[in-house]
Amino acid sequence: MMRALKGAVCGLAMMAGLPAFAQDQQSLADIRSELAQLSAQVQGLRQELVSSGSSGLQAAGGASALARMDTMEASLSRLTSQTEELQNKINRVVSDGTNRIGDLEFRVCEMEQGCDISSIGKTAPLGGADSSAAAAPTPAASSNGSGQSSADLAMNEQSDFDRAKGVLDQGDFPRAAKELAAFAQSYTGGPLSDDALYYQGEALQKSGDTAGAARAWLNAFSTYPDGDKAPESLTKLGWALGQLGQRSEACTALGQVGQRYPQAQAVSEARAEMSKLGCM
């Protein structure tokens, strides 16, 4: 069963350098559109110059004007080719990263008692989750404990989270783990979902289910790598892997905390844990 966690962090090093792919893809699309517009404008200028006859050509600088246009068109063609190549590289990295996360979810599910592999579902594209599906906000704008405005929360989301978290605070860890998991599923993409998965990991850990906790923290980090709890989730994942005897994977996960989140408070905790494990 321990072997199921071997490679549970194989995608973390790759993910450490990943940009926000959805944003980059949009930027590349904008660049390609602008390049196409510039190319069309250069071609239009060429046609105007040629149609103006010898007098217009001489006024523009003679044959050198056409030569300059040839140079510009060649440069635009080269830039267009480079953006297409970069787009293809990003698509390959997104596909590979998504497949790796899906494999991690499958492996960790294998080692959990009662985990139904068929319930895992299709892994969302890495960096391309649609956050627009979050439920409609409420008119109120008071602050909640997670620093989020209640205007960002769906109806009843804050109260449902508080209730599930309250069960954890009361010490009913098995029940808390179930309620927090249900919350994260019900409000997928919501501003409190990463908190729910993080606390689900805590509930499972305090229940004695370290493997289940590792899965919850892996889900929290991989699903919400930019969430408020991402540094803590990655640190806890490294700790859990160390507890399960996966020292190499634990060191990899812990080492990524400082690289991905250099300003996070969890960095000191991750370094302390690396020291305990004797990570190089």
Side-chain angles (χ1 to χ4, degrees):
M1 181 160 77
M2 292 302 179
R3 288 183 300 173
L5 276 178
K6 292 277 190 184
V9 198
C10 64
L12 293 178
M14 177 197 68
M15 291 174 64
L18 291 180
F21 288 111
Q23 180 179 352
D24 283 359
Q25 289 176 344
Q26 182 62 44
S27 299
L28 286 173
D30 293 340
I31 292 173
R32 292 177 63 183
S33 176
E34 292 178 4
L35 288 173
Q37 293 175 13
L38 288 173
S39 180
Q41 291 174 5
V42 171
Q43 291 176 6
L45 288 173
R46 176 189 289 277
Q47 292 175 359
E48 290 182 15
L49 188 59
V50 172
S51 63
S52 67
S54 59
S55 60
L57 183 61
Q58 290 300 322
S64 64
L66 293 177
R68 289 196 299 272
M69 287 187 177
D70 289 340
T71 301
M72 285 189 288
E73 288 183 328
S75 297
L76 288 171
S77 178
R78 184 174 64 255
L79 288 173
T80 300
S81 176
Q82 289 174 345
T83 56
E84 290 177 351
E85 181 180 356
L86 182 57
Q87 179 76 68
N88 291 333
K89 287 181 179 179
I90 288 177
N91 288 339
R92 288 195 295 270
V93 174
V94 169
S95 177
D96 182 58
T98 301
N99 290 336
R100 291 189 183 208
I101 291 297
D103 182 59
L104 298 183
E105 293 174 345
F106 179 84
R107 291 188 184 191
V108 177
C109 183
E110 280 186 317
M111 66 173 294
E112 284 188 89
Q113 294 183 355
C115 180
D116 182 6
I117 294 178
S118 64
S119 68
I120 295 177
K122 184 178 180 180
T123 303
L126 186 64
D130 183 8
S131 60
S132 63
T138 61
S142 60
S143 174
N144 62 66
S146 297
Q148 299 284 346
S149 168
S150 59
D152 297 327
L153 302 178
M155 186 69 71
N156 299 326
E157 184 172 357
Q158 183 68 64
S159 60
D160 287 351
F161 175 82
D162 291 341
R163 181 169 55 253
K165 178 64 164 50
V167 176
L168 173 63
D169 294 338
Q170 293 168 8
D172 191 347
F173 303 128
R175 180 185 161 202
K178 293 179 181 178
E179 293 203 10
L180 288 163
F183 176 91
Q185 184 174 8
S186 298
Y187 296 100
T188 300
L192 296 174
S193 297
D194 61 330
D195 295 67
L197 289 173
Y198 171 81
Y199 288 119
Q200 180 198 3
E202 282 203 347
L204 289 168
Q205 180 249 316
K206 292 178 179 178
S207 299
D209 185 1
T210 305
R215 174 179 173 80
W217 287 321
L218 172 62
N219 286 344
F221 167 70
S222 62
T223 308
Y224 305 100
D226 297 320
D228 292 339
K229 288 294 184 183
E232 289 83 356
S233 295
L234 186 54
T235 301
K236 290 289 189 180
L237 172 60
W239 172 85
L241 291 170
Q243 293 295 307
L244 293 167
Q246 310 303 314
R247 178 179 173 277
S248 176
E249 289 80 2
C251 290
T252 300
L254 293 167
Q256 292 301 319
V257 178
Q259 294 185 32
R260 287 185 61 93
Y261 315 104
Q263 305 301 321
Q265 294 181 353
V267 173
S268 59
E269 181 181 349
R271 288 173 177 170
E273 191 62 33
M274 291 176 70
S275 178
K276 292 179 183 178
L277 293 172
C279 301
M280 299 296 294

